[in-house]
Amino acid sequence: MSFLSPLFLVGAAAAALPILLHLLKRDPDVRVKFAAVKLLKEAPVEQTERHRLRQLLLLTLRIAALVLLALAFARPFVPDGAAAAASRATIVALDTSFSLDAPGRFDRAKQLARSAIDRVPAGEAVGVVTFADEAAITAKPSGDRVLARSAVDEAAVGFGSTRYRAALSTAAQALGGRTGTIVLVTDLQEGGWDAGDRAVVPEGVAIELADVGEMPPNLAVVNVHSAGDRIVATIRNTGPSARDARVHVTIDGRPAGDATAALGPRQSGEVSFPAAPGRAAVVSVDDPGGVRADDTRYAVLEATRAAQVAVITGSGDLAREAFYAEHALAAGGARGYRPVGLSGATLASMPANGLNDYAAVVLVSTRGLDRHGRELLAGYVQSGGGLVLAAGPDVDGEVVADVLGHDAELRVSTVPGPSATPRAIAPADVRHPIFHPFASNAAALGLVTFRQAARVDGSGCQTIARFTTGEAALLDCSAGEGRGLVLASDLNNRWNDFPLHSTFVPFLHEAVRYVGSGRAQGSDYAVGDAPAGAPRRPGIATVADRQHAAPRTVAINVDPRESDPARLTPEEFQSAITHMKDAASAEARGEARQQEDRQHLWQYAIALMAIALVAEGWLAARTV
Amino acid sequence: MAPWAAHDRPFLDPAVVARLGTLELKARTIVEGFLSGLHRSPFKGFSVEFAEYRQYIPGDDLSTIDWKVFARSDRYYVKKFEEETNLDCHLMLDVSGSMGYGSHHAMSKFEYAAVLAASLAYLMNRQRDAVGLTAFDETIVQMLPASSRPGHLRAVLVTLDRLKTAHRTDVSKPLHLLAESLTKRGMVILISDLLDDADAVISGLKHFLYRGIDVIVFHVLDPDEIDFPFERATRFEDLETSDEVLAVPGAVRDHYLKALDAMVERYRRELGAVGIDYVQLNTKHPLELALLSYLSTRARAL
């Protein structure tokens, strides 16, 4: 029996203290030698022995009730049997990313995993974790080697890419606070660590690497895009020798061309095909000895263009009024956005659903924005659209008050003239999604100097970043089914130097992605990022983002980074791991909490306490 | 109103009596004081013998003034007579364990009973009655035959002084034994707390009546037994059997008092019905009241 909050057990002792004091300090029994006891015996009184028994029973029930109460608060649980018995455990983490899909590689990985299981000393628990983009515990730590080997046998290579952080985190969780070893069976791809990524494992947990070996010579289709009347495919040769890559393309299942590309060692090349009418193209390369999953790539021909983002300025001329925002949004090619400049006058003549084709709207100026335009924006946001408002010098506070709708009034006031003190921006809550790109370097945002800012506030808005002077810098506003982000400054290098910093592009992308999450985005997804409703495997899929919305066709492909044969040395791998003392206890606490949640023993303690109290009440009513 | 308020002087408080030295002194103090306070001599009988002259004091019967002496000396003297009787009085004193109970503000029942017995013996001796003593618990533990010899009183007092309480009570058995042993009519005075089987006690007492012997029962009870003044939960230990009973007085008081009243009432009713004087004594009340009862019964017996 273990306890989630054992300190409450001290409470049980404290609760018994008054009883103890009562017992110690109570007056001694009054004893009287009496002559007429014979007459007393005829009265309904208790005999001493029976009374003592009842008193003892009462005391026991009262103490039991208090102890049970403390026990319930201490959240008891019974640790899992065999796993709990073993103080050490070995977790075998098996890489199932598609880079192991080359002939014989995954078999070798499984063999390494089995060997690792067989090496675990008797009496030590062993568990299995499989990982790619995500990790899963396929065999909980136990003394059953057959179970662990069975989990390895049943493991299959998938289409995900390697993510060591997920693997180590899940393996540490599987250890459940025990010391032991994590045996990582992988091909040590460099791409398994994101830039600046680090994994934290508990102190006392050793990391062993079982190297599957480097990737065999491989040809991969790493990109397919439509360029006017042609379909262009990028083929990468990761081998050490030059190869002729035979490439095929089919459009909507019909062969549409073959081509051969001569690729030098570790070289990429493009192959183009004439575009034929069709919805989706599949480009494949002949690579019998290499990784199979990256030999084919899918593309949606009719929607290979990036999602549109409306940028509302005074005249609609982005080059003049929103130069930096335009270029920032467009950065990233197909993974970026296609900014479209709209003026207030354009909005005035736009039909009610005119903005529905845009993934998001960036409002940088209110000049020319009339009532109809504001209602159009409000309706767009209320129906699930996203608005990014840059409250710069061209934004009139009175005009934007209702752009999010009447139930989400904005209060924006601009202070004329530059501020006496430049200020920086600091996230109030770094867990907010738009700060994810800065998770490892949130301080980079602080390098931006804001010379002037508007005062922003709004009902239903949450301040997610503040200036160093304390004013709200970024608001996250909820309006109907949509969302708005309000930046208390401009995006055009007038009140701040934000566009000149490297954080500007990811910030704007994340802001648009965040507010426009309810709208259609691009059509090319990696397996790990596949939209809801789409299968987690490469192919062409049709998904409906929202109810009543028209379904859209998306292409789901393997992550081309996984085809990169660059490898880490064991030392480089180990250097990305941090052993933390608290991590062990945190893992143990997490595991204990889960077990306690499953067992709910505290409820039984409370029930028993209630029974004890009822019995105590019943007995007390019948005791002198 | 206190029961002795009608008299010229208050009777002696048992607490005061308890502080007197010997049993003889206690008895003499009680009896002499008691007798001197009576308005009318109770000694008047069919056959009297001149004892002495005594100077008249207000309250004396005028018929007892010796006018011849007044004529000679010009002073009033009254003639004192002593009755000539052949009354045998037997004091039966309960010395069972239960008699040892005494609350802190009074004598124990045994002490009270012993002083009462001594006083009665003293009084009887002064009246030239033969006095005997039988101490008993579950059997007879001490017995002095009735005698009116001058030295007998001392023997009675010494015996009383040496008695201790100890064992269980069985009143009926000694009563029957004594009843069987008495051959002469007389009087039996039972001093006991009567915490025994009432049927057996009454049966034993009736045995004396069959033999023509008058009986007075002094039922001695402690104030605690009469009022049951306990407040806190108490473990009551039986003085005779050591049985323990734990009780909250507030919860059992009514029941106890009813049981006591029922017992007293039964004795009063059933003994009164057969002509046995039943006197309930509270150990915090003066002993003289008991003497009055005795004298009243004695007068009837003669």
Side-chain angles (χ1 to χ4, degrees), chain A residues 426-453:
Chain A
D429 182 2
V430 293
R431 295 170 300 177
H432 195 279
I434 80 155
F435 297 121
H436 278 175
F438 316 106
S440 60
N441 192 15
L445 274 176
L447 299 177
V448 181
T449 303
F450 289 82
R451 295 180 298 281
Q452 195 168 349

Side-chain angles (χ1 to χ4, degrees), chain A residues 27-48 51-52 624, chain B residues 98 101 109 195-196 225 228 230 232-239 243-248 252 255-256 260:
Chain A
D27 294 334
D29 275 348
V30 179
R31 297 176 73 89
V32 170
K33 291 195 171 186
F34 197 59
V37 171
K38 172 178 166 244
L39 299 179
L40 273 177
K41 280 182 178 175
E42 295 168 13
V45 295
E46 285 187 287
Q47 299 303 308
T48 302
H51 178 81
R52 277 186 184 151
V624 175
Chain B
S98 63
Y101 181 74
K109 290 190 287 186
L195 291 172
D196 197 0
E225 291 172 333
F228 203 67
F230 306 101
R232 298 175 50 195
T234 304
R235 187 167 284 115
F236 294 96
E237 182 182 341
D238 195 298
L239 281 164
D243 286 350
E244 286 189 355
V245 170
L246 183 75
V248 174
V252 301
H255 196 282
Y256 168 84
L260 181 69

